[in-house]
């Protein structure tokens, strides 16, 4: 092997190495382009995810507000029902008192009517007795008058 051969081999190796480098650089450029596209897509996706996260945060906040509002409304409804229950209890007590008072008055009136009925029966008996006595007296008076007229 001569110096020329070695030099020629070196030139071939150098040119092959250059060709390989160019192909590798071309491929690396394509890989870089693809990676840039992937980075752009990832950036776009990250932006979308940030938008979604922002929307989710907004929805979470709105849901918390809605829940708080609903809880306040339920509390107000519960208080209203408690007030209604209190009113019904007071109304029940009032009805019971009125019922007791009416029952007491009816009992008193019933006793008064019974007493008056008994008094009326006694008066009727006394009236019958007086009527009978009056008739007896009228009969005696008639007898006495007829005797007086006859005498």
């Amino acid at each position: 092997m001569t110096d020329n051969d070695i030099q020629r081999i070196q030139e071939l190796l150098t040119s092959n190495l250059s060709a390989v480098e160019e192909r590798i650089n071309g491929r690396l450029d394509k890989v870089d382009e693809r990676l840039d596209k992937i980075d752009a897509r990832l950036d776009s996706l990250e932006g979308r995810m940030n938008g979604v996260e922002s929307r989710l945060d907004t929805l979470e906040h709105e849901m918390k507000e809605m829940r708080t509002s609903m809880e306040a409304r339920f509390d107000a409804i519960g208080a209203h029902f408690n007030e209604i229950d209190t009113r019904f209890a007071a109304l029940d007590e009032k009805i019971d008192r009125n019922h007791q008072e009416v029952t007491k008055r009816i009992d008193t009136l019933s006793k008064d009517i019974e007493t008056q009925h008994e008094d009326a029966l006694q008066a009727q008996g006394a009236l019958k007795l007086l009527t009978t006595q009056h008739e007896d007296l009228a009969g005696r008076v008639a007898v006495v008058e007829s005797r007086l007229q006859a005498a």
Side-chain angles (χ1 to χ4, degrees), residues 79-94:
H80 187 66
F81 277 125
N82 287 341
E83 183 181 331
I84 289 171
D85 285 344
T86 302
R87 286 182 180 177
F88 273 125
L91 187 59
D92 279 344
E93 287 178 28
K94 188 174 182 178

Side-chain angles (χ1 to χ4, degrees), residues 90-139:
L91 187 59
D92 279 344
E93 287 178 28
K94 188 174 182 178
I95 288 170
D96 285 344
R97 283 193 310 266
N98 286 343
H99 181 263
Q100 290 172 358
E101 182 65 29
V102 167
T103 302
K104 191 186 296 183
R105 287 181 182 178
I106 288 172
D107 289 346
T108 302
L109 288 173
S110 294
K111 287 177 185 175
D112 288 347
I113 289 170
E114 258 184 61
T115 303
Q116 288 178 1
H117 181 67
E118 289 173 7
D119 290 347
L121 287 177
Q122 287 176 357
Q124 188 179 17
L127 184 60
K128 283 183 182 178
L129 180 63
L130 285 174
T131 303
T132 305
Q133 288 175 350
H134 176 69
E135 288 172 356
D136 285 346
L137 281 175

